[in-house]
Amino acid sequence: MSIVIDWLVGMRVFLPIAFSMFAATAGSVSAAEITVTLGDASTPSLVTIRGSIEPGDGATFASRIGGLDRALVMLESPGGSVDDGLSIGADIRTKGFTTLVAPNAGCYSICAIIWVSGASRMMDRTSSIGVHAAYRNQAMDDGSSMSLESGMANADIGAFLNMIGLSREAIRYFTAASPEDLLSLSPEMAQRLSIDTAVSDGNVIQWPKDRPTPNRITAQVSEYAGMSTNCSELFSLDPAWLESQMTAVLEQGHALFGGELFADTISRDAQFQKNQIEAMGRWNWCIEAERSLRAGNRMTGITGPSYDCAKASTITERTICSTPDLWASDRAVGYIFNIVHATGTKDEKRTLNQRQRAWQARRNACGDDVLCLNERYDTWLSEFTHQ
């Protein structure tokens, strides 16, 4: 999950205040009102966009947020200029900002595109988000005007949504409705379209990791299958147990979204996974897959490093025991060392033992510095899996 979500975890007190500020200053305005409330070391800045997105608002937004490193962008808008909305969305994605539609606020048309551009997204149960195809107003001979779908604008929107990683189903949903209609983007629809979203309901926040999406379920099924085939020996895991976890995840997906949704996606993801393993190397892929599953609140069967933590005697050993992200790497180092050692000559084993002791000394010099320990394990694995 992005670092912005981590900031939001610490914003449980700040968010109600922000909502109140947003509601107190809300009003009906003809063009976008863009304001910035600067944050501090513990709280991101608050940027509000309220009103219709008009030509020039993209440049205004860029100038207002130029010096910000982290921000929460709160939205309430009926939509407006596609070009300016896409410009705002691109700046938000580049900056890694979080987007939020506040309680009881509405965000429609290009505003919904801005919202989905957030590196992390948030909405309330009472938020209203609506999407439809882009359109232009065509003047008629009788002096009236007619809303006509704009193929060029929809192509630009589709390309942008594809660039930020939305699924084909989500892109179709965002551009399907006629200009006169709106398709609602509820928390449940966002989940079905694999749009990771944090949802607030009163004082309770449901985070994306607790809201399974079809894309995440597909990835987890493939990761369990790949770990069963490629990683069970590396981590001393039972392949049958990994396969049982894969089946449970797939059954959950079928119960939530229906089985037809996964018929094609799983085979496509399996091919993607094969390409990843070839590019990353088998052992590196196994470590990343284990981390990914654990980050998604899935069990991996890895409950500690390669040694007995009850016997940990140094600060480094105790730090490894208390850092789940290091467990898979530690197990991999132990397994690969034993394999290489078992197949070496007497002189090769002597050299290997010397190298291992030197590496352990460098690792232990990290003390309780987790970033340093990660780097030491990554270096060891890179040296021993590419020689």
Side-chain angles (χ1 to χ4, degrees):
M1 199 54 52
S2 88
I3 191 170
V4 184
I5 282 292
D6 293 333
W7 296 330
L8 285 174
V9 172
M11 289 173 61
R12 295 182 188 276
V13 175
F14 171 73
L15 281 173
I17 298 173
F19 292 155
S20 298
M21 291 170 55
F22 192 77
T25 57
S28 177
V29 292
S30 58
E33 177 187 349
I34 302 173
T35 61
V36 176
T37 303
L38 294 178
D40 54 30
S42 61
T43 305
S45 298
L46 174 65
V47 182
T48 64
I49 302 177
R50 190 179 301 109
S52 178
I53 308 297
E54 299 296 335
D57 283 340
T60 300
F61 180 82
S63 67
R64 300 274 170 87
I65 58 94
L68 302 181
D69 294 324
R70 54 180 187 167
L72 176 67
V73 182
M74 301 183 73
L75 301 160
E76 184 175 32
S77 170
S81 166
V82 170
D83 288 343
D84 286 79
L86 291 178
S87 175
I88 292 171
D91 284 339
I92 287 173
R93 175 51 65 113
T94 300
K95 287 277 193 177
F97 291 167
T98 291
T99 52
L100 167 66
V101 180
N104 300 307
C107 180
Y108 309 105
S109 190
I110 196 62
C111 178
I113 305 296
I114 295 173
W115 172 77
V116 84
S117 70
S120 301
R121 315 168 188 95
M122 194 168 187
M123 65 187 299
D124 188 76
R125 278 286 168 189
T126 62
S127 304
S128 178
I129 303 176
V131 299
H132 62 62
Y135 66 90
R136 58 185 174 83
N137 288 319
Q138 175 69 49
M140 308 302 291
D141 292 339
D142 62 2
S144 63
S145 64
M146 178 179 293
S147 297
L148 299 176
E149 188 172 336
S150 172
M152 182 175 295
N154 279 310
D156 289 342
I157 289 173
F160 177 77
L161 295 177
N162 181 68
M163 180 189 71
I164 65 175
L166 262 64
S167 65
R168 288 183 295 179
E169 293 78 9
I171 294 171
R172 293 191 192 106
Y173 193 83
F174 269 74
T175 57
S178 67
E180 293 79 16
D181 298 318
L182 279 172
L183 290 177
S184 173
L185 193 64
S186 65
E188 289 71 30
M189 181 55 69
Q191 185 178 6
R192 183 174 182 82
L193 294 174
S194 292
I195 300 172
D196 282 331
T197 308
V199 179
S200 60
D201 189 355
N203 292 325
V204 177
I205 299 176
Q206 188 180 31
W207 301 103
K209 66 180 181 180
D210 301 317
R211 293 170 50 79
T213 64
N215 279 4
R216 191 178 302 117
I217 285 174
T218 296
Q220 290 171 346
V221 167
S222 295
E223 285 165 348
Y224 273 127
M227 284 188 65
S228 176
T229 303
N230 298 287
C231 316
S232 55
E233 290 185 357
L234 181 68
F235 298 139
S236 299
L237 298 175
D238 179 5
W241 181 86
L242 290 167
E243 290 171 9
S244 72
Q245 297 303 301
M246 176 192 71
T247 300
V249 172
L250 187 56
E251 288 175 349
Q252 180 190 34
H254 285 192
L256 286 171
F257 308 110
E260 68 280 357
L261 198 62
F262 299 96
D264 295 326
T265 56
I266 288 179
S267 61
R268 288 201 305 266
D269 207 69
Q271 182 58 49
F272 174 71
Q273 179 193 102
K274 180 180 178 182
N275 295 338
Q276 273 192 318
I277 293 174
E278 291 178 356
M280 297 173 62
R282 178 182 172 190
W283 305 137
N284 286 325
W285 181 89
C286 288
I287 291 169
E288 290 304 315
E290 192 278 335
R291 288 176 179 171
S292 175
L293 285 167
R294 189 162 28 79
N297 279 358
R298 300 295 184 184
M299 294 186 298
T300 65
I302 296 180
T303 56
S306 61
Y307 56 87
D308 184 356
C309 284
K311 299 178 181 178
S313 59
T314 68
I315 187 172
T316 295
E317 290 177 345
R318 289 192 291 271
T319 298
I320 294 168
C321 287
S322 63
T323 309
D325 268 354
L326 295 172
W327 294 349
S329 295
D330 186 78
R331 288 195 177 200
V333 165
Y335 175 82
I336 296 170
F337 174 84
N338 289 334
I339 291 295
V340 175
H341 194 276
T343 57
T345 65
K346 185 177 181 179
D347 288 341
E348 288 172 338
K349 289 179 180 180
R350 183 184 303 109
T351 300
L352 180 60
N353 288 335
Q354 292 171 347
R355 291 179 62 187
Q356 184 72 353
R357 284 193 293 270
W359 173 80
Q360 287 175 335
R362 292 194 300 273
R363 183 199 67 177
N364 293 341
C366 292
D368 59 357
D369 186 335
V370 173
L371 290 178
C372 178
L373 289 169
N374 262 313
E375 187 277 332
R376 295 291 190 268
Y377 278 107
D378 288 346
T379 299
W380 191 102
L381 290 166
S382 177
E383 290 179 357
F384 277 83
T385 57
H386 292 88
Q387 61 181 346

